[in-house]
């Protein structure tokens, strides 16, 4: 079996190559190689919030909900395995274990797998072949060291904006219905659900 390389999260920084994306930097535990993975803003927020235990969102994020389901039904994440890199996309599996020690490996986006690994306190691994293909040696820079703190500051501001944005008390019923249709059209289902709840209250 191919060797596994244990990885730790080094930081998150804004991607210089893709607008609206972030670079998640994973670092080899025993070595100097780093694995940069481009992730979306939602996943970056979820990972940064999981790393910073003191920040609580007004409502559970999707990954937090998954943890609650795991506790309710007695299963956990045992580990995350990044097993392939193809056309710039990392492929990962999550290893789950239930209360009877039965294991199941399930395909996942790497960003989701890592967001869950942090919450379940599970290790993250990559195959040696993935590290050989994508691992790079990065100089340790002050900017990199501060990247998580910067990401968390951005998230705190975004959470505050979202709380203000979701104050629908001054809107008419017609405005709420119009905005709910627009939110569904834009696949912003969280906002659509908030608008629906406000309509139900009325």
């Amino acid at each position: 079996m191919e060797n596994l390389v244990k990885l730790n999260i080094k930081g998150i920084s804004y991607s210089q190559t893709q607008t609206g994306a972030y670079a998640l930097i994973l670092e080899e535990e025993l070595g100097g190689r780093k694995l940069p993975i481009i992730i979306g803003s939602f996943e970056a927020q979820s990972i940064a919030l999981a790393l910073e235990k003191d920040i609580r969102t007004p409502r559970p994020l999707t990954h937090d909900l998954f943890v609650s389901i795991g506790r309710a039904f007695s299963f956990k994440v045992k580990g995350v395995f990044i097993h392939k890199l193809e056309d710039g996309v990392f492929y990962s599996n999550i290893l789950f274990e239930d209360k009877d020690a039965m294991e199941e490996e399930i395909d996942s986006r790497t960003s989701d797998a890592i967001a869950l690994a942090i919450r379940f306190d599970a290790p993250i691994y990559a195959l040696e072949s993935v590290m050989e293909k994508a691992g790079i040696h990065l100089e340790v820079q002050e900017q990199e060291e501060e990247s998580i703190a910067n990401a968390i500051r951005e998230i705190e501001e975004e959470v505050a904006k979202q709380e203000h944005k979701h104050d629908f008390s001054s809107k008419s019923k017609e405005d709420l219905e119009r905005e709910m249709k627009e939110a569904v059209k834009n696949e912003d289902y969280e906002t659509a659900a908030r608008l629906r709840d406000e309509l139900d209250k009325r």
Side-chain angles (χ1 to χ4, degrees):
M1 182 179 172
E2 190 177 337
N3 286 341
L4 290 171
V5 177
K6 189 174 182 185
L7 301 170
N8 296 318
I9 296 173
K10 178 67 176 175
I12 304 169
S13 59
Y14 193 74
S15 172
Q16 301 299 312
T17 58
Q18 294 187 30
T19 304
Y22 289 78
L24 171 66
I25 309 297
L26 302 177
E27 183 177 44
E28 191 176 15
E29 186 171 79
L30 302 174
R33 290 176 297 180
K34 295 179 176 63
L35 199 64
I37 300 174
I38 301 300
I39 61 176
S41 58
F42 172 78
E43 291 79 8
Q45 288 182 5
S46 181
I47 289 169
L49 284 167
L51 290 168
E52 182 56 53
K53 309 292 186 187
D54 294 334
I55 298 179
R56 293 287 180 270
T57 55
R59 300 292 295 147
L61 298 179
T62 304
H63 300 114
D64 298 321
L65 172 62
F66 203 93
V67 174
S68 298
I69 293 170
R71 287 176 182 150
F73 291 94
S74 302
F75 68 81
K76 64 181 180 179
V77 173
K78 280 197 74 177
V80 165
F81 302 89
I82 306 171
H83 61 85
K84 184 169 72 170
L85 173 62
E86 190 173 281
D87 297 327
V89 177
F90 289 92
Y91 291 80
S92 296
N93 287 338
I94 304 174
L95 180 63
F96 291 96
E97 182 184 70
D98 68 12
K99 62 182 177 181
D100 300 318
M102 295 289 290
E103 295 182 351
E104 186 71 33
E105 208 163 319
I106 296 176
D107 179 39
S108 170
R109 293 191 312 166
T110 297
S111 54
D112 289 329
I114 291 171
L116 288 177
I118 300 166
R119 286 168 168 81
F120 280 94
D121 197 24
I124 302 166
Y125 300 96
L127 288 182
E128 177 60 37
S129 57
V130 173
M131 294 302 296
E132 287 176 359
K133 196 171 184 179
I136 58 174
H137 290 271
L138 295 175
E139 293 298 324
V140 178
Q141 299 175 1
E142 187 177 337
Q143 179 183 353
E144 185 181 329
E145 295 292 335
E146 295 177 354
S147 58
I148 291 179
N150 290 338
I152 289 167
R153 275 197 295 273
E154 289 176 18
I155 291 160
E156 287 175 326
E157 291 171 6
E158 184 62 27
V159 168
K161 277 190 214 168
Q162 291 300 321
E163 288 176 344
H164 178 70
K165 176 182 172 184
H166 292 134
D167 180 11
F168 303 124
S169 57
S170 62
K171 294 182 183 291
S172 68
K173 188 175 177 182
E174 291 74 20
D175 286 340
L176 292 171
E177 288 173 344
R178 178 178 51 76
E179 288 185 22
M180 185 173 72
K181 287 178 184 174
E182 188 66 26
V184 171
K185 181 180 173 184
N186 294 330
E187 298 185 357
D188 183 0
Y189 301 119
E190 185 177 349
T191 299
R194 290 173 185 270
L195 288 159
R196 181 204 60 214
D197 291 344
E198 181 66 26
L199 281 165
D200 289 343
K201 279 193 255 178
R202 299 188 187 188

